[in-house]
């Protein structure tokens, strides 16, 4: 049995969830309880007021202004992302160069050779050259991948498509030959 | 194109899709902001911020879910934050005189009708001002955004039963306030009234 003064009952009534017997009981209760009758009338009046409230209409230029701002902010975010990637790539490249230099360019010996001996200078230069060649071979895929990545990020789509078409034609030519 | 296709295109940064989304959702976002903040200028500002934020956060939107509650949640959070940052006393003098609401297209209201509607609009905003930000949000989403209890619960991070309870108490408080206003013409009830109102008068 429902307590007709409870919040749950009122929510049920306002949602229109009463069964026909419940509706009859509710109407009987309203006729007997002046407090509920007054509240019910006030709620019904409020419902009407809120349902017919005028609709706020946004200013005519709001959509255009908002779109322009959203597009600009997206572009700025993309630009910052590209700058970040470029910066990281440069940083990585510099790190690689420093690492290679530490391993293959013996700066101290180079300096000593320049000061003390031409033979030693030649020897050190040869070692550096060989080291660079070895490094170049082992790191070339990485360098190529970085270059391709940068190209992909910065080149307009039309140029990329052209490059792709040229590459495909060359491959076909090689296959046919 | 379906709405999902527009949203996906907007996710990829297509300008026409972003424009479509903004056009489609700005009336409801503006309506929500206006009901929540009570000022056309603040509402315009908040609606713009909310829509831009929605466009910038599109990557986090789950395409399996409806877009409307998602975008309204962003606007609701923004409005609630702004209301909390505001001073407690908000003057409603002059509100509604700068035409944030209008008649539906096709109608031709007389000056008397316009005045009456403006007064009604002002009275509704006064009623809303008596509610806490969360209750105001629940009422706004229920009456003017036509969201279901479940959708309101999702937008407000409340449970469905809490939404029902808050909505009922807000209605009851506003009804009492409205009746009081009708009795003492022009003297709007204060915001403390709702807190003093108890639920269940048995």
């Amino acid at each position: 049995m429902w307590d007709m003064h409870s919040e749950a009952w009122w929510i049920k009534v306002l949602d229109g969830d009463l069964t026909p017997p419940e509706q009859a009981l509710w109407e009987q209760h309203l006729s007997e309880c002046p407090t509920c009758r007054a509240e019910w009338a006030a709620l019904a009046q409020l419902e009407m007021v809120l349902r017919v409230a005028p609709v706020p209409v946004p200013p005519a230029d709001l959509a255009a202004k908002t779109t322009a701002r959203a597009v600009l902010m997206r572009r700025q975010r993309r630009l910052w992302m590209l700058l970040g990637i470029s910066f990281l790539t440069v940083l990585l490249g510099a790190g690689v160069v420093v690492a290679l230099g530490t391993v293959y360019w013996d700066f101290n010996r180079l300096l000593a050779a320049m000061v003390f001996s031409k033979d030693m200078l030649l020897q050190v230069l040869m070692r550096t050259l060989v080291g660079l060649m070895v490094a170049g071979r082992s790191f070339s895929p990485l360098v190529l991948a970085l270059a391709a990545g940068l190209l992909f990020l910065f080149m307009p789509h039309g140029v990329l498509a052209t490059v792709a078409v040229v590459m495909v034609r060359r491959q076909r030519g090689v296959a046919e030959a | 194109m379906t709405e999902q296709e527009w949203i996906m295109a907007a996710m990829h940064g297509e300008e026409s899709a972003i424009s479509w989304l903004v056009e489609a959702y700005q009336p409801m976002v503006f309506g929500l902001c206006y009901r929540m903040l009570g000022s056309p200028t603040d509402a315009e500002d908040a609606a713009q911020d909310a829509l831009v934020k929605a466009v910038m956060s599109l990557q986090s939107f789950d395409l399996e879910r409806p877009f409307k509650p998602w975008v309204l949640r962003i606007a609701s959070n923004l409005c609630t934050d702004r209301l909390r940052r505001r001073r407690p006393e908000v003057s409603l003098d002059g509100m509604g005189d700068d035409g944030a609401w209008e008649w539906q297209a096709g109608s031709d209201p007389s000056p008397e009708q316009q005045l009456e509607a403006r007064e009604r609009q002002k009275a509704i905003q006064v009623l809303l001002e008596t509610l806490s930000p969360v209750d105001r949000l629940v009422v706004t989403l229920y009456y003017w955004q036509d969201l279901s209890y479940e959708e309101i619960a999702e937008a407000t991070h409340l449970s469905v039963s809490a939404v029902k309870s808050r909505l009922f108490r807000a209605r009851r408080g506003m009804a009492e306030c409205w009746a009081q206003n009708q009795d003492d013409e022009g003297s709007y009830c204060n915001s403390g009234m709702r807190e003093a109102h108890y639920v269940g008068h048995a």
Side-chain angles (χ1 to χ4, degrees), chain A residues 91-114:
Chain A
L91 205 67
L92 187 71
V96 169
V97 168
V98 168
L100 285 176
T102 309
V103 175
Y104 295 108
W105 300 347
D106 196 340
F107 290 114
N108 288 334
R109 289 187 70 181
L110 196 66
L111 195 65
M114 282 168 75

Side-chain angles (χ1 to χ4, degrees), chain A residues 74-125:
Chain A
R74 275 190 78 97
R75 278 192 194 146
Q76 280 176 341
R77 189 167 70 177
R78 188 173 160 77
L79 182 70
W80 278 111
M81 208 167 72
L82 286 175
L83 282 174
I85 291 171
S86 310
F87 177 73
L88 283 176
T89 309
V90 169
L91 205 67
L92 187 71
V96 169
V97 168
V98 168
L100 285 176
T102 309
V103 175
Y104 295 108
W105 300 347
D106 196 340
F107 290 114
N108 288 334
R109 289 187 70 181
L110 196 66
L111 195 65
M114 282 168 75
V115 174
F116 300 113
S117 146
K118 281 183 184 174
D119 292 341
M120 206 169 170
L121 176 66
L122 189 66
Q123 192 188 343
V124 169
L125 280 176

Side-chain angles (χ1 to χ4, degrees), chain A residues 5-174:
Chain A
H5 294 140
S6 69
E7 187 178 293
W9 172 263
W10 278 82
I11 291 172
K12 192 173 155 75
V13 174
L14 286 167
D15 284 348
D17 288 344
L18 296 187
T19 60
E22 284 173 337
Q23 182 66 35
L25 282 172
W26 172 237
E27 280 166 15
Q28 191 190 338
H29 176 75
L30 281 182
S31 65
E32 291 163 358
C33 176
T35 318
C36 283
R37 198 164 53 239
E39 272 198 38
W40 180 243
L43 280 167
Q45 200 181 8
L46 176 82
E47 193 76 9
M48 198 186 69
V49 168
L50 296 183
R51 293 284 179 203
V52 299
V55 181
V57 175
D61 61 343
L62 179 62
K65 278 197 290 189
T66 309
T67 305
R69 204 175 126 197
V71 169
L72 180 72
M73 283 185 73
R74 275 190 78 97
R75 278 192 194 146
Q76 280 176 341
R77 189 167 70 177
R78 188 173 160 77
L79 182 70
W80 278 111
M81 208 167 72
L82 286 175
L83 282 174
I85 291 171
S86 310
F87 177 73
L88 283 176
T89 309
V90 169
L91 205 67
L92 187 71
V96 169
V97 168
V98 168
L100 285 176
T102 309
V103 175
Y104 295 108
W105 300 347
D106 196 340
F107 290 114
N108 288 334
R109 289 187 70 181
L110 196 66
L111 195 65
M114 282 168 75
V115 174
F116 300 113
S117 146
K118 281 183 184 174
D119 292 341
M120 206 169 170
L121 176 66
L122 189 66
Q123 192 188 343
V124 169
L125 280 176
M126 286 301 289
R127 278 187 61 179
T128 304
L129 193 63
V130 171
L132 278 176
M133 283 169 70
V134 172
R137 186 177 289 176
S138 56
F139 282 94
S140 56
L142 177 67
V143 173
L144 278 175
L146 279 174
L150 284 174
L151 272 176
F152 183 77
L153 285 172
F154 287 110
M155 283 177 100
H157 292 164
V159 180
L160 270 180
T162 312
V163 171
V165 169
V166 170
M167 295 291 286
V168 168
R169 278 189 183 165
R170 273 194 191 170
Q171 276 187 345
R172 255 190 221 157
V174 170

Side-chain angles (χ1 to χ4, degrees), chain B residues 38-58:
Chain B
S39 141
T41 318
D42 288 352
E44 185 182 343
D45 193 38
Q48 199 180 113
D49 285 354
L51 285 164
V52 168
K53 194 172 177 188
V55 169
M56 299 298 284
S57 325
L58 273 175

Side-chain angles (χ1 to χ4, degrees), chain B residues 135-199:
Chain B
D135 288 353
R136 198 183 307 179
L137 176 61
V138 170
V139 168
T140 305
L141 293 175
Y142 181 80
Y143 280 103
W144 297 295
Q145 302 296 337
D146 291 325
L147 294 194
S148 64
Y149 286 135
E150 288 74 18
E151 287 172 326
I152 297 173
E154 196 183 327
T156 54
H157 304 289
L158 294 169
S159 65
V160 172
S161 58
V163 168
K164 285 184 177 182
S165 181
R166 275 181 178 272
L167 181 64
F168 170 67
R169 288 173 195 194
R171 275 164 156 178
R172 208 169 197 173
M174 286 194 297
E176 190 176 322
C177 186
W178 182 262
Q180 187 185 328
N181 179 34
Q182 299 299 301
D183 293 342
D184 331 326
E185 274 189 41
S187 75
Y188 296 112
C189 58
N190 60 34
S191 55
M193 197 212 78
R194 202 188 68 76
E195 278 75 23
H197 188 96
Y198 67 96
V199 175

